[in-house]
Amino acid sequence: MNHSLKVRFAGHETFTLKQLWLRKAVRFVQQAVKEGRQANFRDDAAIVELGLGKNMVSSLRFWSVACGFLNSGCELTPTGLALKIFGTNDSDGLDPYIQNLTTSWVVHWNLCSDPSKLTVFWYLFNKINKSSISRSEFLEDLSQFVKVNDFHVTENTLKRDVEVCIRSYAPLITGRAKDSFSEECAETLLGGLGLMEFRSRDVIEVSRTRRYSLPTSIFLWSILDMWEKDEELRDCQTLDWFQLAYAENSPGRIFKLSENDLSDRLEQSNSLTNNTLVWTDQLGIKTLVRRTNDPHELSALKESLLVASYQ
């Protein structure tokens, strides 16, 4: 039983994260702030302004917080990440219309590297070691995890979470044609990452391979993010191969990188970080060395890597 693990189930109203929802939510909040009022997603006026149904508006709010684009609290505000990607208007953001897959990779990382966002995403990419798994196996494994840790969640809630997770990444196989896609899945923000495929109507595959659309700058950004969030790693100067490739919340696991792809990216760390992160391989011992603990330097490096990934 793990009482220290913070988890989250439900909240999505069974809707997957749509392509432009994060932008829509951030602009909605920015407009409210500009007008000197609080952004209220539960107000009837929000339904009209956002052009979505009541349940969709609730789902939109949930995803925006879970993905790290809105700060939750007494008053919703855009996060620094949201402001960097979307800007204050459509002319000064890195990706104001979400046309770059880098944004999808950032969202994937944020969802899957923290169990408190939406636990089913974290569980799939951190706990399941098989490359192929059926829906029923996925649900059974997640249910066992919930039972062992004494989390109070209904089976129906877990089933809906599993379905939303799968539909977020993989196009559905419909009854009409084997290769036809559902409209909902075509609109999902994470569907273009190629992280999941259907092997049959019931079996999905999430295997390690080379991720050509993942910028190496975002890979290194995620390492700094992992270093920053993990209390046990925060004061460590080094990370070894296992911690980067196979440990929970590691980029190797969450991005499902092959060992060759991981190695190739780590070998670029020296040049892309101006030797702040140095990859060494001495006598077969592979280690990533962080040459500073200064939070301001690390924050600046993290931001520069984010910006570089969009160029």
Side-chain angles (χ1 to χ4, degrees), residues 263-280:
S263 294
D264 290 345
R265 293 175 188 276
L266 287 168
E267 288 173 1
Q268 299 178 56
S269 60
N270 301 37
S271 59
L272 292 177
T273 67
N274 197 26
N275 290 318
T276 300
L277 300 181
V278 178
W279 179 240
T280 64

Side-chain angles (χ1 to χ4, degrees), residues 13 15 21 41 43-44 46-48 50-60:
E13 304 288 346
F15 294 106
W21 271 15
F41 283 81
D43 195 304
D44 288 343
I47 296 174
V48 176
L50 291 167
L52 301 172
K54 182 178 180 181
N55 289 345
M56 274 194 170
V57 170
S58 177
S59 180
L60 169 67

